């Protein structure tokens, strides 16, 4: 089976992504079998082309059958998440995504730029000197943006941010603390259900909640229960991935001062820098699929029912696709990274994430002529979420 390596252990990722191990496996064992404690192991798909193959064949590699994380979930948990877009296969996925897609197009999202810039400026006005950047800055903006899109009262934005952060911290005892993650997700869903019920009693509004409640999904209106699942996924995804992009992005730029200076000198380079941040520090290591029939990848037989993990952290450094793949380069073009997924599950919020990243770095670099990392960053303990949990920064005006 090639190199014997444990790439499952969440503890491995505390020190950072295991890029040297992935590079070796891409050469020697690109369809890598990995054991798991207490349950069946999985196939780690490590090459860019193979990850794309899995993503483009949802009939053969199902998101709906057993979910998108490596650990098998109990039936009640799967039932709780079955109305999340990322857990659906076509045609159901298509039926639920199509009514929303129009409202996430680049032109529509572009109309939010002034509001996102206003929120960013207000956030940066509130910080100065020494800050813990991940939670004091990077984690604040996305919850405000997504909360505003849904029409959530501003007083409730901190709550949805907390729920979203708790749901993505399940493998890190320090971040989870005394919280019961399932209970926190349930609170979030109950909040959304109650919010949906209240909005149905009001005059229709043109925010995202209003659009969802007035739409047809699978040929019928969305129920309050379905809205709860929808809301939980969109808020969690919108919060966590953008927080990671902003915080990991700043850390990378500070580690590459010549490229940081290039962005200060030529802000038009920022969109390309955002793409390279997403490639180099993709917010999610993987998503799982389940094989629905016997198949093979690179001649390796995969049986029906096997877990298959699309390992974005490896695919985004594939030497067959990216020249000098281990180098951070804001000028990289083209940059066909897979951090937003591919095919049917290509990220619905891609234009929003790119807009938030561009506006945030434009405002941050324009406002603070000096940015300094004052201590070591700390990474979340997770083999799923590829992010920081603390980044000490000094901001000087």
């Amino acid at each position: 089976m090639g190199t014997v390596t444990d790439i499952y252990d969440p503890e491995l990722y505390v020190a950072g992504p295991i890029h040297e191990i992935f590079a070796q496996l891409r050469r020697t064992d690109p369809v890598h079998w990995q054991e798991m404690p207490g349950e069946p192991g999985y196939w780690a798909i490590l090459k860019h082309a193979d990850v794309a193959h899995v993503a483009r064949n949802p009939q053969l590699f199902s998101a709906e059958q057993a979910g998108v994380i490596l650990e098998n979930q109990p039936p009640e948990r799967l039932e709780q998440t079955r109305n999340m877009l990322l857990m659906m296969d076509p045609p159901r996925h298509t039926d639920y995504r199509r009514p929303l897609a129009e409202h996430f197009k680049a032109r529509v999202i572009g109309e939010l730029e002034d509001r996102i810039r206003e929120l960013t400026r207000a956030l940066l006005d509130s910080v100065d000197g020494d800050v813990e950047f991940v939670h004091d800055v990077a984690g604040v903006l996305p919850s405000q943006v997504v909360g505003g899109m849904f029409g959530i009262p501003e007083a409730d934005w901190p709550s949805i941010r907390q729920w979203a952060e708790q749901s993505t911290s399940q493998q890190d005892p320090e971040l989870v603390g005394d919280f019961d993650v399932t209970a926190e997700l349930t609170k979030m869903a109950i909040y959304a259900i109650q919010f949906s019920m209240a909005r149905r009693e009001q005059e229709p509004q043109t925010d995202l909640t209003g659009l969802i409640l007035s739409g047809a999904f699978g040929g019928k209106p969305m129920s309050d229960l379905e809205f709860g699942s929808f809301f939980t996924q969109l808020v969690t995804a919108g919060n966590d991935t953008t927080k990671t992009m902003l915080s990991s992005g700043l850390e990378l730029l500070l580690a590459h001062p010549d490229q940081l200076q290039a962005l200060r000198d030529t802000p038009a380079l920022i969109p390309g820098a955002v793409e390279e941040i997403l490639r180099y520090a993709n917010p999610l290591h993987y998503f799982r699929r389940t094989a629905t029939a016997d198949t093979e990848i690179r001649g390796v037989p995969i049986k029906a029912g096997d877990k298959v993990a699309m390992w974005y952290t490896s695919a985004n450094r594939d030497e067959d696709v990216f020249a000098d793949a281990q180098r951070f380069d804001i000028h990289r073009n083209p940059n066909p990274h897979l951090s937003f997924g591919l095919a049917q599950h290509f990220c619905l919020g891609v234009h929003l994430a790119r807009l938030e990243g561009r506006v945030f770095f434009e405002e941050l670099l324009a406002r603070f002529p000096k940015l300094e990392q004052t201590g070591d960053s700390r990474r979340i303990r997770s083999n799923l979420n590829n992010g920081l949990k603390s980044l000490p920064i000094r901001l000087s005006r």
Side-chain angles (χ1 to χ4, degrees):
M1 270 306 194
T3 304
V4 178
T5 305
D6 181 0
I7 62 171
Y8 172 78
D9 184 2
E11 197 67 36
L12 275 179
Y13 299 86
V14 174
I18 49 177
H19 291 300
E20 290 184 7
I21 293 174
F22 285 139
Q24 182 181 4
L25 289 174
R26 282 194 299 276
R27 293 190 297 270
T28 63
D29 191 19
V31 182
H32 173 73
W33 177 257
Q34 176 60 57
E35 298 287 351
M36 285 178 61
E39 62 178 275
Y42 62 92
W43 295 104
I45 309 303
L46 302 174
K47 295 285 286 181
H48 190 284
D50 299 335
V51 169
H53 168 70
V54 173
R56 289 182 172 131
N57 288 278
Q59 294 82 12
L60 186 55
F61 300 102
S62 169
E64 192 164 318
Q65 188 172 108
V68 298
I69 64 173
L70 291 171
E71 296 78 15
N72 287 333
Q73 302 296 297
E76 61 271 17
R77 180 76 178 111
L78 281 176
E79 180 61 28
Q80 188 179 22
T81 58
R82 68 181 300 273
N83 290 316
M84 293 183 177
L85 266 179
L86 80 167
M87 308 278 195
M88 296 180 186
D89 295 331
R92 188 164 171 259
H93 177 271
T94 307
D95 289 342
Y96 275 71
R97 182 181 173 114
R98 186 185 295 115
L100 292 176
E102 183 72 27
H103 308 295
F104 281 89
K105 287 186 174 180
R107 174 185 54 80
V108 178
I109 293 299
E111 296 173 0
L112 297 175
E113 178 168 346
D114 288 347
R115 177 56 176 158
I116 291 173
R117 197 172 296 278
E118 177 186 351
L119 288 168
T120 302
R121 287 174 173 171
L123 171 61
L124 296 178
D125 280 343
S126 71
V127 295
D128 198 2
D130 291 326
V131 298
E132 196 292 282
F133 193 81
V134 177
H135 292 96
D136 293 348
V137 184
V140 176
L141 180 64
S143 60
Q144 294 179 340
V145 172
V146 175
M149 288 179 69
F150 272 99
I152 298 296
E154 189 170 339
D156 295 340
W157 291 353
S159 293
I160 63 172
R161 174 186 165 196
Q162 176 182 304
W163 290 325
E165 290 184 347
Q166 288 294 331
S167 72
T168 57
S169 306
Q170 300 181 41
Q171 293 178 321
D172 193 316
E174 180 184 351
L175 293 179
V176 172
D178 296 329
F179 285 94
D180 180 327
V181 175
T182 301
E184 293 302 304
L185 281 173
T186 301
K187 288 180 187 175
M188 190 178 190
I190 290 172
Y191 173 90
I193 290 167
Q194 292 175 337
F195 181 67
S196 170
M197 293 170 65
R199 284 290 299 268
R200 291 185 195 279
E201 301 298 320
Q202 302 170 10
E203 288 294 319
Q205 299 180 39
T206 57
D207 55 29
L208 187 55
T209 298
L211 294 169
I212 291 173
L213 295 183
S214 64
F217 297 83
K220 63 183 188 303
M222 184 176 288
S223 70
D224 294 323
L225 186 61
E226 288 173 325
F227 180 84
S229 293
F230 236 62
F231 177 92
T232 298
Q233 181 199 326
L234 293 177
V235 169
T236 300
N239 182 81
D240 189 70
T241 55
T242 306
K243 176 182 72 174
T244 295
M245 173 181 66
L246 302 181
S247 53
S248 296
L250 179 57
E251 184 185 41
L252 278 169
L253 292 171
L254 291 173
H256 298 82
D258 56 329
Q259 299 194 56
L260 175 60
Q261 188 59 48
L263 296 185
R264 289 191 184 278
D265 295 341
T266 312
L269 294 174
I270 289 177
V274 168
E275 295 304 310
E276 180 66 348
I277 289 165
L278 287 162
R279 179 193 78 90
Y280 200 87
N282 45 282
L284 291 170
H285 286 304
Y286 77 88
F287 267 146
R288 168 191 171 177
R289 297 293 185 261
T290 301
T292 60
D294 291 352
T295 185
E296 63 177 46
I297 298 177
R298 290 187 185 266
V300 177
I302 294 172
K303 296 178 181 178
D306 281 358
K307 304 175 188 178
V308 177
M310 300 179 290
W311 219 269
Y312 308 122
T313 303
S314 176
N316 279 349
R317 304 286 184 102
D318 190 339
E319 300 80 1
D320 290 344
V321 177
F322 303 98
D324 201 4
Q326 303 294 345
R327 182 175 186 270
F328 178 71
D329 181 7
I330 62 170
H331 302 282
R332 187 178 296 277
N333 186 34
N335 193 345
H337 66 79
L338 298 177
S339 299
F340 288 121
L342 200 66
Q344 288 88 352
H345 282 275
F346 187 69
C347 176
L348 188 64
V350 57
H351 300 302
L352 180 62
R354 286 171 168 156
L355 178 60
E356 287 183 79
R358 174 175 65 81
V359 169
F360 181 85
F361 283 112
E362 285 174 355
E363 294 295 330
L364 180 74
L365 300 185
R367 184 165 306 240
F368 296 105
K370 186 175 181 182
L371 298 163
E372 178 186 2
Q373 186 171 334
T374 56
D376 293 338
S377 61
R378 298 174 64 223
R379 303 187 63 82
I380 185 172
R381 181 189 185 276
S382 176
N383 58 20
L384 173 62
N385 297 286
N386 180 27
L388 305 176
K389 61 181 177 182
S390 67
L391 177 65
I393 295 291
R394 181 169 296 135
L395 307 169
S396 303
R397 299 184 190 274

